[in-house]
């Protein structure tokens, strides 16, 4: 025991020396005038890094964090306002490779911990909100608690990689591991309720949780309500797969079953799939087996409605071939897309069936094959991977995501076509995958994706589903070229681009409440009354929306500060279960549930949303809207909209993205009554 005690004493002595230097640097920062703090900050950050690298350093900094905060450590940075910090940005900040950013991020988390523990009464962040923030941070970075740094991390981050893990273990020791896992499971269910096409990250998290739960050194057994449903949906869905036996053993068990046993297996997999939106690799093996056992069992395994069963029987040869070619353990998720595709009844649209037969036999061009292999590997072959992606997109048109790319326009177009014009989507896929070119027309003039200049995205996107991976780069270039062709016209180019890019059903009437040249608000009253008259059932004669319509919103953060313009699709307007009129819309940004500040919190479940929809009360949605399309021949009754309702929406705008956009004449000049 003696060597251990000696080491502990040495560590304690080193930490004490580091803390003394940190306290001296903090005193110098406190005493410096505002204009001179920058010169003192460098020493504070360096001493903080040295302390955090020592055992016990995180707890020591936590004890000093209020003094550091009040001395001005965070002044002039985003960390100065902890109430608006976003949990999802913490992980990227810690892995940024910038030593100063890592230190500031670490101290920010320790400040939140001190606030959550009641050690620091912060004027703008409550203890409850601080604890909520930290549980989200920990849940999103759970691997930092249970896995050592990878070789890549060690090379890239050096000693900082261990600093980050020591920080997270300290946070979890104080917050509690059970709370972290509960929060993580809640977050997984929240994402799955939106039914995204891409679930790789979710599956990875569930897999790690399953491994950790089986580790006797990690106490996760009593926490994570709902996690068992997620784990069994992937690894133990049915009686034959309960012990995760491997595909060969599972297949042998199926071969030994009678019809009743197979039906029990089929219904179990179908229930789990429709309950979670996740598909087990075992489900793929089951479907391939049942192709030879009868369509009744196949329908059971897909969990089909009457419409879906009729489609299966009517187009039996096509469905069997789709399963044969596309469904593998690696592409099992497409089974859910196939099920929903059949339930949508789109096979009864005459061009869709031949379009799918063409997709089955489509010969991919070399560049398309290379991109798919680069992103997904060569098992299964890229043709099967793309066909599986087509099934997922046709079944889950609202599950299309733009990834970490500025291509919301292209993602919206793919979603809209899958939702509204599936045979056109199939044509786009054929052009991109076979010809490595898409040709569209703008006001009668031909535009080739190969002739266009660069698009909105500055790099080739890779974090997309198979269809988006091939089609989005072409669409992005065409969209940008359409914008260039009307750049010299007055007003916003979306007036002309949206109908040409998305389809004839995008209404030709166009309204915008921002002056393109100045960025100032204009005609707010007329803009909002026009939106009510076009979309609100009480003022448009009770007319439901016939076709999804493109629209543009001003996205704001949780402090209601303007972030940027964003493309969405208005899907429908209807009263929710509590009789509040809501706008239901599609958001391509991968996670529609967002806090836009000033009480405007986007809902994805619990307010009448269908899978993939986001929603807001009509007034709140209108407060973030800046562009919409409307049929110019359907006038509605704009004059009947109460002035008080318009004023309430304008109040939301004033307190958020419109705060700095008032013209010289104030609200009167902006068109407010």
């Amino acid at each position: 025991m003696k060597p251990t005690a000696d080491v502990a004493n040495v560590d304690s002595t080193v930490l004490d020396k580091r803390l003394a230097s940190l306290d001296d640097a903090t005193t110098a920062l406190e005493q410096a005038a505002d204009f001179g703090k920058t010169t003192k900050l460098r020493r504070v950050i360096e001493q903080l890094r040295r302390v955090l690298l020592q055992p016990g350093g995180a707890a020591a900094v936590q004890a000093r964090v209020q003094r550091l905060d009040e001395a001005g450590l965070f002044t002039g940075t985003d960390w100065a306002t902890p109430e608006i910090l976003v949990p999802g940005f913490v992980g990227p900040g810690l892995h940024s490779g910038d030593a100063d950013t890592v230190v500031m991020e670490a101290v920010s988390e320790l400040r939140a911990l001190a606030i959550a523990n009641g050690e620091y009464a912060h004027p703008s962040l409550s203890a409850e909100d601080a604890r909520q923030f930290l549980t989200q941070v920990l849940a999103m970075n759970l691997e930092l608690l249970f896995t050592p740094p990878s070789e890549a991390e060690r090379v890239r981050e050096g000693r900082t990689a261990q600093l980050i893990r020591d920080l997270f273990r300290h946070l979890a020791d104080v917050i509690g591991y059970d709370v972290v896992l509960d929060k993580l499971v809640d977050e997984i269910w929240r994402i799955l309720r939106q039914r995204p096409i891409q679930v790789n990250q979710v599956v990875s998290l569930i897999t790690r949780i399953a491994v950790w739960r089986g580790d006797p050194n990690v106490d996760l057994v009593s926490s994570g309500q709902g996690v068992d449903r997620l784990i069994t949906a992937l690894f133990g869905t049915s009686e034959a797969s309960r012990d995760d036996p491997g595909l060969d053993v599972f297949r042998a068990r199926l071969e030994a079953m009678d019809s009743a046993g197979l039906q029990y297996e089929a219904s179990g997999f179908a229930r789990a799939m429709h309950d979670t939106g996740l598909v087990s690799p075992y489900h793929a093996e089951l479907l391939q087996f049942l192709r030879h056992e009868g369509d009744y069992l196949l329908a059971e395994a897909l969990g089909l409605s009457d419409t879906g069963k009729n489609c299966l029987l009517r187009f039996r040869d096509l469905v069997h071939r789709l399963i044969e070619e596309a469904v593998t353990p690696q592409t099992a998720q497409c089974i859910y897309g196939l099920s929903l595709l059949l339930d949508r009844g789109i096979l009864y649209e005459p061009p869709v069936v031949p379009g799918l037969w063409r997709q089955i036999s489509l010969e991919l061009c070399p560049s398309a094959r290379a991109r798919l292999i680069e992103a997904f590997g060569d098992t299964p072959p890229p043709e099967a991977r793309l066909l599986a992606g087509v099934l997922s997109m046709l079944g889950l048109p609202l599950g299309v995501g733009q990834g970490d790319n500025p291509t919301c326009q292209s993602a919206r177009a793919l979603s809209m076509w899958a939702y509204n014009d599936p045979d056109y989507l199939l044509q786009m896929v054929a052009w991109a995958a076979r010809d490595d070119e898409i040709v569209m027309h703008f006001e009668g003039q031909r535009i080739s994706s190969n002739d266009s200049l660069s698009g909105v995205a500055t790099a080739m996107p890779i974090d997309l589903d198979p269809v988006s991976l091939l089609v989005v780069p072409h669409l992005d270039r065409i969209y940008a070229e359409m914008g260039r062709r009307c750049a010299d016209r007055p007003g916003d180019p979306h007036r002309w681009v949206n109908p040409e890019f998305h389809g004839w059903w995008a209404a030709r009437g166009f309204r915008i409440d921002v002056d393109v040249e100045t960025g100032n608000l204009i005609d707010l009253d007329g803009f909002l009354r026009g939106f009510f008259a076009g979309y609100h059932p009480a003022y448009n004669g009770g007319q439901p929306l016939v076709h999804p319509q493109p629209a543009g919103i001003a996205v704001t953060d949780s402090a209601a500060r303007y972030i940027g313009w964003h493309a969405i699709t208005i899907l429908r307007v209807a009263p929710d279960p509590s009789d509040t009129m809501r706008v239901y819309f599609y958001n391509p940004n991968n996670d529609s549930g967002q806090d836009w500040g000033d009480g405007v919190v986007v809902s994805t479940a619990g307010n009448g949303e269908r899978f993939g929809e986001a929603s807001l009360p009509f007034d709140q949605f209108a407060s973030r809207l800046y562009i919409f399309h409307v049929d110019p021949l359907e006038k509605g009754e704009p004059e009947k909209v109460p002035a008080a309702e318009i004023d309430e929406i304008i109040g939301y705008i004033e307190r958020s993205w419109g705060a700095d956009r008032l013209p010289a004449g104030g609200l009167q000049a902006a068109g407010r009554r």
Side-chain angles (χ1 to χ4, degrees):
M1 296 298 292
K2 181 65 174 172
T4 303
D6 288 343
V7 170
N9 289 335
V10 170
D11 288 342
S12 175
T13 301
V14 172
L15 179 59
D16 289 343
K17 290 180 179 178
R18 297 279 189 262
L19 288 172
S21 297
L22 173 60
D23 291 340
D24 288 344
T26 305
T27 299
L29 182 64
E30 287 173 326
Q31 294 173 350
D34 289 345
F35 63 84
K37 285 187 181 293
T38 304
T39 60
K40 306 295 183 183
L41 196 59
R42 175 75 263 148
R43 185 182 168 210
V44 174
I45 293 175
E46 179 58 28
Q47 295 305 321
L48 279 167
R49 187 184 70 82
R50 295 185 178 194
V51 169
L52 289 169
L53 285 170
Q54 298 300 315
V61 171
Q62 179 186 337
R64 291 163 169 78
V65 75
Q66 180 172 356
R67 184 183 174 197
L68 287 163
D69 194 7
E70 293 173 348
L73 175 65
F74 299 114
T75 301
T77 71
D78 288 341
W79 293 290
T81 50
E83 68 275 11
I84 66 166
L85 294 178
V86 178
F89 291 167
V90 172
L94 290 171
H95 293 297
S96 65
D98 181 82
D100 289 357
T101 299
V102 172
V103 169
M104 295 288 276
E105 194 66 74
V107 179
S108 173
E109 268 61 79
L110 292 169
R111 175 182 58 183
L113 187 60
I115 295 169
N117 267 7
E119 301 164 12
Y120 178 9
H122 196 278
S124 59
L125 185 67
S126 69
E128 181 181 352
D129 288 343
R131 178 172 289 270
Q132 174 80 354
F133 173 82
L134 287 173
T135 56
Q136 289 181 298
V137 168
L138 289 165
M140 292 177 180
N141 299 276
L142 206 58
E143 70 280 359
L144 296 177
L145 293 176
F146 302 119
T147 60
S150 66
E151 185 61 30
E153 284 179 285
R154 284 192 290 269
V155 171
R156 186 176 62 250
E157 300 173 2
R159 294 179 66 195
T160 303
Q162 193 57 50
L163 179 158
I164 295 168
R165 278 163 173 76
D166 290 343
L167 167 71
F168 269 72
R169 290 194 183 98
H170 175 70
L171 296 175
D173 285 341
V174 178
I175 293 295
Y177 285 82
D178 54 341
V179 176
V180 175
L181 186 60
D182 286 340
K183 183 62 184 177
L184 176 61
V185 172
D186 288 344
E187 186 69 11
I188 290 173
W189 278 109
R190 189 185 69 82
I191 295 296
L192 288 178
R193 279 194 290 268
Q194 299 176 54
R195 292 301 192 262
I197 290 175
Q198 293 178 277
V199 295
N200 293 343
Q201 289 185 333
V202 166
V203 170
S204 176
L205 279 173
I206 296 170
T207 303
R208 279 182 280 172
I209 292 172
V211 171
W212 292 327
R213 279 169 68 95
D215 186 342
N217 297 317
V218 179
D219 182 17
L220 298 179
V221 177
S222 61
S223 58
Q225 296 299 314
V227 72
D228 287 333
R229 285 165 62 199
L230 296 171
I231 293 173
T232 56
L234 291 175
F235 306 114
T237 314
S238 65
E239 192 65 35
S241 64
R242 187 78 63 201
D243 54 344
D244 193 13
L247 294 174
D248 292 339
V249 173
F250 177 69
R251 178 79 177 209
R253 290 174 179 176
L254 293 179
E255 291 171 349
M257 287 184 182
D258 58 15
S259 295
L262 289 174
Q263 182 176 353
Y264 187 74
E265 288 289 306
S267 60
F269 276 104
R271 278 195 305 271
M273 176 177 71
H274 287 283
D275 174 37
T276 63
L278 295 172
V279 186
S280 168
Y282 292 110
H283 201 158
E285 190 69 24
L286 175 68
L287 227 57
Q288 292 293 358
F289 181 82
L290 293 181
R291 281 196 302 116
H292 308 288
E293 297 296 318
D295 291 337
Y296 171 75
L297 289 174
L298 207 56
E300 283 288 303
L302 290 169
L304 298 178
S305 67
D306 288 342
T307 299
K309 291 175 183 175
N310 289 336
C311 274
L312 169 61
L313 295 175
R314 171 66 179 82
F315 303 102
R316 180 182 186 277
D317 291 346
L318 173 63
V319 175
H320 278 249
R321 187 68 184 280
L322 288 170
I323 294 171
E324 180 183 1
E325 297 292 338
V327 176
T328 70
Q330 296 82 8
T331 61
Q333 195 61 31
C334 78
I335 297 172
Y336 189 43
L338 175 61
S339 172
L340 298 181
L341 181 161
L342 293 171
D343 277 353
R344 291 182 67 198
I346 61 174
L347 295 186
Y348 287 110
E349 297 182 25
V352 173
V353 169
L356 284 169
W357 279 115
R358 175 182 59 190
Q359 187 65 46
I360 289 171
S361 60
L362 196 69
E363 185 174 340
L364 305 188
C365 66
S367 61
R369 288 181 57 86
R371 290 211 69 207
L372 288 167
I373 291 173
E374 178 187 6
F376 301 105
D378 57 3
T379 305
E383 292 83 0
R385 183 73 68 172
L386 180 59
L387 182 59
V390 167
L391 297 181
S392 291
M393 190 168 286
L394 290 177
L396 293 158
L398 302 183
V400 181
Q402 69 188 81
D404 188 18
N405 311 287
T407 52
C408 52
Q409 294 277 356
S410 299
R412 176 175 68 179
L414 288 174
S415 170
M416 193 177 290
W417 298 332
Y419 186 94
N420 192 53
D421 199 359
D423 57 302
Y424 188 63
L425 172 70
L426 290 169
Q427 183 64 61
M428 286 288 178
V429 175
W431 281 337
R434 182 192 62 203
D435 308 330
D436 198 21
E437 179 186 32
I438 287 179
V439 175
M440 298 178 73
H441 289 78
F442 181 73
E443 298 177 346
Q445 299 298 310
R446 180 181 184 274
I447 297 180
S448 165
S449 60
N450 289 346
D451 296 337
S452 301
L453 300 173
S454 60
V456 176
T458 56
M460 190 70 79
I462 60 170
D463 55 339
L464 299 172
D465 65 86
V467 171
S468 298
L469 189 75
L470 297 188
V471 181
V472 162
H474 294 278
L475 295 181
D476 184 44
R477 294 195 293 272
I478 289 175
Y479 166 74
E481 179 62 26
M482 287 184 176
R484 284 189 284 268
R485 293 195 181 191
C486 55
D488 59 346
R489 302 178 187 181
D492 191 289
H494 292 102
R495 176 190 301 270
W496 302 279
V497 172
N498 280 345
E500 298 283 347
F501 188 66
H502 294 294
W504 66 265
W505 51 82
R508 296 285 167 163
F510 179 84
R511 299 298 298 268
I512 183 170
D513 62 358
V514 176
D515 179 71
V516 174
E517 291 186 6
T518 66
N520 289 334
L521 293 165
I522 53 171
D523 191 23
L524 282 178
D525 186 83
F527 175 86
L528 294 172
R529 289 181 181 276
F531 183 59
F532 272 87
Y535 287 86
H536 197 296
Y539 306 102
N540 73 353
Q543 173 61 54
L545 192 60
V546 177
H547 296 104
Q549 291 296 317
I553 56 173
V555 178
T556 53
D557 63 16
S558 59
R561 299 178 302 187
Y562 170 74
I563 294 176
W565 311 119
H566 186 53
I568 55 99
T569 307
I570 300 176
L571 299 171
R572 59 192 179 96
V573 178
D576 66 13
S578 64
D579 213 30
T580 298
M581 192 63 66
R582 300 181 78 90
V583 178
Y584 297 89
F585 60 98
Y586 160 74
N587 188 339
N589 74 340
N590 309 306
D591 180 6
S592 300
Q594 297 173 327
D595 183 348
W596 288 346
D598 195 27
V600 180
V601 180
V602 182
S603 169
T604 57
N607 289 293
E609 295 89 357
R610 299 163 186 165
F611 288 141
E613 290 182 333
S615 81
L616 280 170
F618 194 94
D619 290 358
Q620 291 189 354
F621 179 85
S623 75
R624 296 303 190 267
L625 186 69
Y626 87 100
I627 278 176
F628 68 89
H629 289 260
V630 68
D631 189 332
L633 301 180
E634 296 177 358
K635 304 296 185 183
E637 299 176 311
E639 70 283 352
K640 291 189 176 181
V641 183
E645 198 153 6
I646 299 295
D647 288 343
E648 182 179 353
I649 298 172
I650 291 176
Y652 276 112
I653 297 173
E654 291 172 359
R655 295 188 299 271
S656 58
W657 66 278
D660 300 323
R661 296 179 180 274
L662 297 178
L667 291 174
Q668 193 65 35
R672 182 176 184 178
R673 288 189 168 186

